[in-house]
Amino acid sequence: MPEIGLIIIGDEILSSKRQDKHLAQANALLKPRGLAVSWVWMLSDDETLLVRMLTRSFAENECVFCFGGIGATPDDRTRQAAASALQLPIEAHPEAVAEIEAQFGAEAYPQRIRMAEYPAGSSIIPNFYNRVPGFSIRGHHFMPGFPMMAGPMMEWVLDHYYTDWVQEQTIELGIRIFDGQESEWVEFMEAFEARFPQLRLFSLPTIDAENRRRIDLGVEGIPEEARKGWEALKEEALRREANWQEL
């Protein structure tokens, strides 16, 4: 599975003034393609931090979706930080200029037109909401912080650049164990992973308001293999005479 990263940018996210919606939206777009998010960074709008982290990301990653900070106000610093991280000049992109002028006419100047300035060599990401494009460069795809814009833009990028990354869609199957301890299942889980290396095994313990424990034990993988792993979980629960149910 190729690694796909997300960089979510904005002081308002870190301060909890706004709740992030990009991760859930990205998962909804990736899952039907048999893909998944590998990692997420949430970063402030501090330009020094952005330059440092983007420099690292450009050096290490081949597919990253970046959300936020590409507007025209002084606190939007992502475009400038990307250019600095790549040691490239920032310049007006002719296609982006044309899109913004077509949308706003004379009102594109003097402020909105700044949103057409990207690191040299960028290509545009069409924005179907208001025609203010995002941009792509070196496997990094920069989009607005508004999910209603970023969702269709991310989908366009996936369809445009990553058609060969589509894989068989995975499924999750599991069981819920009541009144059990996670530690009681560790040896079984270790043996399970050795037996089914192609599956992702997960264990999610919870304690409710009445202090009752339960464990959601499950697997993720392509359907045929996931069902084999699921049967192994159920067989072990039956063998132990555990109190459980299918999820």
Side-chain angles (χ1 to χ4, degrees), residues 139-194:
H140 286 58
H141 310 284
F142 295 84
M143 291 160 282
F146 298 101
M148 78 285 286
M149 299 182 192
M153 294 170 78
M154 180 176 174
E155 186 171 21
W156 182 90
V157 169
L158 289 167
D159 291 340
H160 195 74
Y161 292 112
Y162 300 105
T163 54
D164 58 336
W165 281 21
V166 175
Q167 304 178 100
E168 185 173 1
Q169 186 173 348
T170 61
I171 61 172
E172 288 187 6
L173 297 169
I175 61 174
R176 177 164 292 162
I177 304 161
F178 299 94
D179 303 317
Q181 298 285 341
E182 207 174 19
S183 59
E184 300 169 349
W185 290 81
V186 171
E187 290 185 8
F188 167 78
M189 293 169 68
E190 291 172 343
F192 182 97
E193 288 189 328

Side-chain angles (χ1 to χ4, degrees), residues 4 9 22 35-38 64 70-71 88 92 96 109 114 137 145 151 154-155 167 172 186 188 206 211 221 230 238:
I4 297 173
I9 298 167
H22 295 293
L35 303 172
V37 174
S38 300
V64 179
I70 64 170
L88 291 171
Y109 294 88
R114 295 181 180 180
I137 188 166
M154 180 176 174
E155 186 171 21
Q167 304 178 100
E172 288 187 6
V186 171
F188 167 78
T206 57
N211 208 35
W230 189 43
L238 288 170

Side-chain angles (χ1 to χ4, degrees), residues 170-241:
T170 61
I171 61 172
E172 288 187 6
L173 297 169
I175 61 174
R176 177 164 292 162
I177 304 161
F178 299 94
D179 303 317
Q181 298 285 341
E182 207 174 19
S183 59
E184 300 169 349
W185 290 81
V186 171
E187 290 185 8
F188 167 78
M189 293 169 68
E190 291 172 343
F192 182 97
E193 288 189 328
R195 180 181 172 189
F196 298 99
Q198 70 277 26
L199 296 177
R200 180 181 70 88
L201 176 67
F202 61 87
S203 175
L204 302 174
T206 57
I207 303 174
D208 65 19
E210 283 75 40
N211 208 35
R212 294 175 299 192
R213 296 174 179 269
R214 71 185 188 196
I215 307 165
D216 288 353
L217 188 61
V219 295
E220 180 185 11
I222 61 174
E224 181 181 358
E225 298 300 326
R227 291 188 183 96
K228 291 178 182 177
W230 189 43
E231 292 300 326
L233 296 182
K234 293 190 288 185
E235 289 170 6
E236 182 65 15
L238 288 170
R239 188 188 69 80
R240 295 180 180 221
E241 298 182 348

Side-chain angles (χ1 to χ4, degrees), residues 110-159:
Q111 302 302 333
R112 289 187 175 100
I113 204 66
R114 295 181 180 180
M115 294 185 286
E117 297 175 350
Y118 313 138
S122 297
S123 56
I124 71 166
I125 304 172
N127 184 337
F128 308 99
Y129 187 88
N130 67 357
R131 297 187 72 175
V132 179
F135 65 97
S136 296
I137 188 166
R138 298 192 190 178
H140 286 58
H141 310 284
F142 295 84
M143 291 160 282
F146 298 101
M148 78 285 286
M149 299 182 192
M153 294 170 78
M154 180 176 174
E155 186 171 21
W156 182 90
V157 169
L158 289 167
D159 291 340

Side-chain angles (χ1 to χ4, degrees), residues 75-91:
D75 60 334
D76 290 317
R77 302 181 177 98
T78 303
R79 293 176 292 108
Q80 298 85 343
S84 295
L86 292 168
Q87 298 182 354
L88 291 171
I90 191 167
E91 58 185 32

